[in-house]
């Protein structure tokens, strides 16, 4: 069945509950890149350095990583609907408070609370969408990944449009949109059945004892350092107005979405997941080197182009995390995301610090090295990362599994 078919069960013919959850997912993923084009404005408005402002990403993703250990524990006990609403409520509160910050310390703290809410929401949203969808999981999964890509693309653009007036407005805007999402889910989404087996707190860590999952997580850790060097540090290097920076990262997000949803599965089918992943990581390393050492035009082009490689990598890593382990998929996904999000927390902090210690080029050299290290792990551990699903059609997720920003 064509998931784009407008007939029953197609992506355009889903219940209101699915659309409500997908719409809130768009806003949730917008929150990741929302601050990107306004980082220099925040630094100026709060009289903060680049390394201080980059802690907005560090606090957000550090809490997100730690929350991966508890989201399954929570959702398996209170249910998917209540977990979504709890996450949305936390985002509304902390995003709104972030807009009132008078110091960078306050903003970083509120951003951490926002990260907790976002982790609870996005770690549950896919399972809820699949459970409430009509006509099977294919259209629901495509809708979720489309929401992910749309959110990643629109976040920088919305941040630029609102942030041009004041760096505070994007935070208030996010709180307002998430409040609408809260009301829609309250009105349209019924409680989903709870899983037969409750997830315990140590389960995700135990799952990492599997060599294949541990290898995928370590490789993804190195890759995510590169990814978030581009996302969090590049705006300072480009040194553009919020509008122009937002336009650059909007184009970046469009490429990320297209290559994640449309291109990567076709490449996997033709060449195999591990070859695609290794090649894409090496190309990403070359791209960030040119970004760091080229002129301003080259930096803009390479920033946008990196979205293509990041989109491919996100999809393939998701396939590996969900397919390589013998643990239940929600548990394996939680363990995998717990490891890789630590790199998302580390890169925004260390990239500007490395610039302060050396020069503006070296953070991109480090990012290129980490991308290559990710490829080396794939090469060395290829037997552990080979799984029976490699010969099947690529899948982005399953009815009983969730992944967070798979990209």
């Amino acid at each position: 069945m064509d998931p784009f078919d407008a007939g029953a069960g197609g992506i355009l013919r889903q219940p209101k509950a699915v659309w409500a959850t997908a719409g809130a997912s768009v806003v949730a993923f917008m929150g990741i890149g929302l601050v990107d084009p306004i980082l220099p404005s925040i630094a100026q408005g709060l009289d903060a350095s680049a390394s201080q402002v980059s802690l907005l990403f560090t606090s957000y993703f550090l809490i997100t990583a730690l929350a991966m250990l508890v989201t399954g524990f929570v959702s398996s006990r209170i249910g998917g609907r209540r977990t979504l609403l709890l996450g949305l409520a936390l985002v509304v509160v902390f995003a709104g408070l972030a807009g009132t910050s008078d110091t960078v310390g306050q903003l970083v703290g509120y951003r951490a609370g926002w990260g907790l809410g976002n982790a609870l929401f996005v770690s549950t949203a896919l399972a809820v969408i699949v459970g409430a969808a009509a006509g099977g999981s294919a259209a629901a999964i495509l809708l979720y990944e489309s929401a992910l890509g749309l959110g990643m693309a629109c976040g920088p653009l919305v941040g630029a449009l609102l942030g041009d007036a004041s760096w505070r407005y994007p935070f208030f805007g996010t709180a307002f949109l998430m409040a609408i999402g809260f009301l829609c889910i309250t009105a349209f989404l019924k409680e989903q059945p709870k899983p037969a087996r409750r997830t315990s707190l140590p389960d995700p860590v135990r799952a990492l004892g599997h060599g294949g999952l541990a290898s995928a997580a370590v490789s993804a850790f190195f890759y995510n350092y590169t990814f978030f060097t581009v996302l969090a540090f590049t705006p300072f290097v480009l040194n553009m107005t919020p509008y122009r920076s937002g336009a650059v990262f909007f184009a970046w997000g469009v490429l990320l979405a297209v290559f994640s949803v449309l291109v990567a599965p076709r490449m996997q089918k033709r060449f195999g997941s591990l070859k695609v992943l290794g090649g894409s990581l090496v190309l990403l390393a070359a791209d960030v080197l040119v970004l760091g050492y080229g002129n301003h035009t080259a930096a803009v082009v390479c920033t946008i182009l990196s979205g293509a490689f990041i989109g491919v990598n996100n999809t393939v890593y998701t396939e590996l995390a969900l397919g390589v382990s013998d643990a239940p998929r929600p548990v394996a996904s939680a363990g995998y995301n717990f490891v890789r999000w630590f790199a998302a927390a580390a890169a925004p902090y260390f990239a500007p610090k490395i610039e302060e210690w050396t020069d503006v080029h070296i953070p991109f050299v480090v990012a290129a090295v980490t991308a290559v290290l990710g490829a080396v792990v794939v090469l060395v551990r290829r037997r552990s990362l080979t799984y029976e699903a490699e010969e099947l059609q690529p899948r982005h997720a399953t009815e009983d599994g969730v992944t967070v920003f798979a990209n």
Side-chain angles (χ1 to χ4, degrees), residues 183-242:
L183 294 176
C184 289
I185 288 177
T186 300
F188 298 123
L189 180 64
K190 296 180 181 179
E191 185 56 81
Q192 304 295 296
K194 296 179 182 179
R197 177 183 176 274
R198 290 183 175 182
T199 301
S200 68
L201 288 175
D203 280 351
V205 176
R206 291 195 188 109
L208 291 170
H210 185 280
L213 182 63
S215 299
V218 170
S219 179
F221 175 89
F222 288 124
Y223 155 67
N224 270 263
Y225 186 95
T226 308
F227 176 3
F228 285 93
T229 297
V230 173
L231 188 63
F233 182 65
T234 302
F236 293 103
V237 176
L238 296 180
N239 194 25
M240 304 168 76
T241 65

Side-chain angles (χ1 to χ4, degrees), residues 22 69-70 73 114 127 138 145 158 210 212 231 250 279 288 341 355 365 370 404:
L69 299 180
V70 302
F73 177 88
W114 183 347
E145 293 205 4
V158 172
H210 185 280
L231 188 63
F250 173 74
V288 297
W341 283 123
E355 182 199 14
V365 174
T370 55
V404 182

Side-chain angles (χ1 to χ4, degrees), residues 62 96 222 291:
L62 181 60
F222 288 124
L291 194 165

Side-chain angles (χ1 to χ4, degrees), residues 42 45-47 97-107 110 167-168:
I42 294 173
L46 294 179
D47 193 23
L97 288 173
T100 67
S101 300
D102 294 320
T103 66
V104 70
Q106 289 178 353
L107 186 55
Y110 293 142
W167 64 263
R168 300 179 186 274

Side-chain angles (χ1 to χ4, degrees), residues 116-139:
L116 174 60
N118 214 52
L120 288 169
F121 177 83
V122 300
S123 65
T124 311
L126 177 57
V128 169
I129 287 175
V130 171
S137 63

